[in-house]
Amino acid sequence: MSTKPVVVYGASGYTGRLICEYLRELNVPFVAAGRNKDLLQEVVGRIPGIETAEYDIVEVEHTVEALTELFDGARVVCNTVGPFIKLGFEVAEACLATGAHYLDTTGEQDWVMAVRERFAADYQEKGLLLAPDIAQMYTTGEIAAQIALETPGLDTLDVLVLWKGFPTNASTETIFTILKADWFHLAENQYVKLDPLSRWDVVVPGQHELGLTVPWGGTSHPVWFKDDPRVANVKVQGGVMNRPVMEAVVATTAAVESDIKTLPRDQWDDALAEVAKAWSTGMPPRENPRLNTSVDSVHASGPLGRKHVVIHGNSNYKQTGLLQAWAAMSLLQQPPLRAGFASGCQAFGHRQLLGVLRQFGLVLDPVVTEHR
């Protein structure tokens, strides 16, 4: 049973460690949980200033029963253990059983859709928040979209999410997991399947060089805006600000389509794991704000208006850690704006989340251009 109000599940990973770091800064007691106590102690013990935090370290099996026992007494769980379509259901079920709010850091559209379908009604009935993907990808882009939608009459969102850096091991696993799924954008409020081989040359705000982007699994935005009466169409493009890396991503996706998806389904996981292993570069270094920048850009349009919102930021994993920690702290003090399934902005308010990122120096003020 947890004696702390927040559980960070997967605390030994890159993002889990950052959540713990920001919980310490926000003075929120927490449990750092995972499947390897020695690794947890090693990783959490290296967090700067951790001696001033109030925390426990707990080893736990990844079963509904063990997680339910751990979450009993906690009020919020920050889940970083992915791929979520494989490992998320047990965590969401345990949160529901114990009355804990559920937050995670996924980038998997199929998981966001699945968790909404399976758990949304039950979470709403209990007044609990079910908020997958509170993370730089794609909450910061949602903040830009919500700022655009402050202008009435805009019904179409064209979203661009880019960042400098390289994925962590867990992010790499997620990237290759979503290659198995179908991806969707929103057209006239209906899910429309995307071609997985889609690629676009895009104008990147703030630079002269064109960027190369892909659907990036469809992202969470089409799911978040599916039943928003203001929005009819959502298309999202994403990637890293390194064109050679993105060329390799495009080539790898094409190889998966031709060489792996033509195999029997029961062979896909092993084949994808081998490809993911070739991409893995180990744990990346701590982010440097001079090097690890991010750009979230949204063109919103309607019959009689256009609006462009750009948020320049840095350290996308730090943005994720802060958003998770602040969301947990907020839930300890007041109910979310919306119970049940909700995005970060729907649960906490986009202007509030923008202020938090600004407070910690992780984003600039949005650049807004409007034509009506």
Side-chain angles (χ1 to χ4, degrees):
M1 178 177 178
S2 175
T3 60
K4 304 292 187 293
V6 176
V7 175
V8 181
Y9 184 45
S12 61
Y14 192 97
T15 304
R17 177 183 60 186
L18 288 169
I19 297 171
C20 295
E21 183 173 331
Y22 281 111
L23 287 170
R24 183 200 74 86
E25 292 196 23
L26 296 170
N27 200 31
V28 177
F30 63 91
V31 172
R35 288 165 285 185
N36 185 324
K37 187 171 185 177
D38 291 339
L39 182 59
L40 284 164
Q41 289 175 330
E42 178 187 351
V43 171
V44 176
R46 293 201 304 266
I47 293 174
I50 193 63
E51 67 277 2
T52 65
E54 185 181 344
Y55 71 99
D56 296 325
I57 289 179
V58 177
E59 183 175 280
V60 62
E61 293 182 2
H62 189 81
T63 65
V64 174
E65 294 75 18
L67 292 170
T68 298
E69 183 178 350
L70 172 62
F71 298 166
D72 186 20
R75 295 172 59 192
V76 184
V77 173
C78 301
N79 182 23
T80 70
V81 177
F84 294 86
I85 196 67
K86 292 181 179 180
L87 301 170
F89 290 103
E90 294 89 343
V91 187
E93 190 170 329
C95 285
L96 184 63
T98 57
H101 298 289
Y102 174 91
L103 315 175
D104 76 31
T105 59
T106 189
E108 305 162 41
Q109 186 187 75
D110 56 339
W111 164 247
V112 178
M113 297 171 78
V115 76
R116 179 182 189 178
E117 180 178 354
R118 178 162 166 181
F119 293 108
D122 291 337
Y123 269 75
Q124 186 170 18
E125 184 178 348
K126 287 193 171 185
L128 297 173
L129 177 62
L130 176 67
D133 199 10
I134 294 185
Q136 190 276 330
M137 293 180 81
Y138 297 96
T139 300
T140 309
E142 189 203 2
I143 293 171
Q146 295 285 0
I147 291 172
L149 292 171
E150 290 175 353
T151 298
L154 306 180
D155 62 9
T156 297
L157 300 174
D158 181 353
V159 183
L160 172 65
V161 179
L162 284 171
W163 52 282
K164 278 186 182 177
F166 207 80
T168 64
N169 286 339
S171 295
T172 301
E173 282 189 50
T174 291
I175 290 167
F176 282 92
T177 297
I178 63 178
L179 290 176
K180 297 188 298 182
D182 291 331
W183 308 342
F184 300 90
H185 67 269
L186 202 62
E188 292 303 313
N189 205 37
Q190 299 297 318
Y191 290 129
V192 177
K193 188 177 176 180
L194 282 158
D195 180 355
L197 298 181
S198 298
R199 52 175 286 174
W200 302 279
D201 290 299
V202 298
V203 176
V204 182
Q207 71 177 47
H208 293 105
E209 181 182 353
L210 293 177
L212 176 61
T213 60
V214 295
W216 217 252
T219 82
S220 300
H221 299 96
V223 188
W224 288 336
F225 288 106
K226 174 67 170 65
D227 297 317
D228 189 319
R230 301 170 298 174
V231 179
N233 309 291
V234 180
K235 184 179 77 171
V236 188
Q237 308 166 48
V240 298
M241 292 184 229
N242 183 320
R243 194 174 183 97
V245 169
M246 291 306 299
E247 293 281 6
V249 169
V250 170
T252 301
T253 303
V256 168
E257 290 293 311
S258 62
D259 300 339
I260 294 180
K261 286 193 173 181
T262 54
L263 297 172
R265 183 80 188 217
D266 60 0
Q267 297 180 26
W268 287 14
D269 284 348
D270 290 342
L272 282 169
E274 287 300 312
V275 180
K277 190 184 301 182
W279 273 80
S280 180
T281 58
M283 185 74 78
R286 185 175 177 82
E287 290 168 307
N288 183 334
R290 294 176 55 250
L291 304 176
N292 300 109
T293 57
S294 64
V295 176
D296 292 270
S297 172
V298 176
H299 284 285
S301 60
L304 297 176
R306 301 190 65 86
K307 192 171 181 180
H308 185 202
V309 181
V310 181
I311 299 178
H312 293 278
N314 68 79
S315 307
N316 61 300
Y317 283 101
K318 289 183 184 178
Q319 290 183 47
T320 298
L322 174 60
L323 289 166
Q324 284 278 321
W326 186 89
M329 182 190 71
S330 177
L331 289 169
L332 298 182
Q333 300 181 47
Q334 60 185 10
L337 299 177
R338 179 188 299 184
F341 177 87
S343 68
C345 292
Q346 292 163 349
F348 302 104
H350 61 284
R351 288 288 179 179
Q352 180 61 59
L353 294 182
L354 174 64
V356 172
L357 294 172
R358 291 279 296 133
Q359 179 185 8
F360 282 79
L362 295 175
V363 299
L364 298 175
D365 276 333
V367 179
V368 181
T369 308
E370 187 168 2
H371 303 281
R372 291 182 65 81

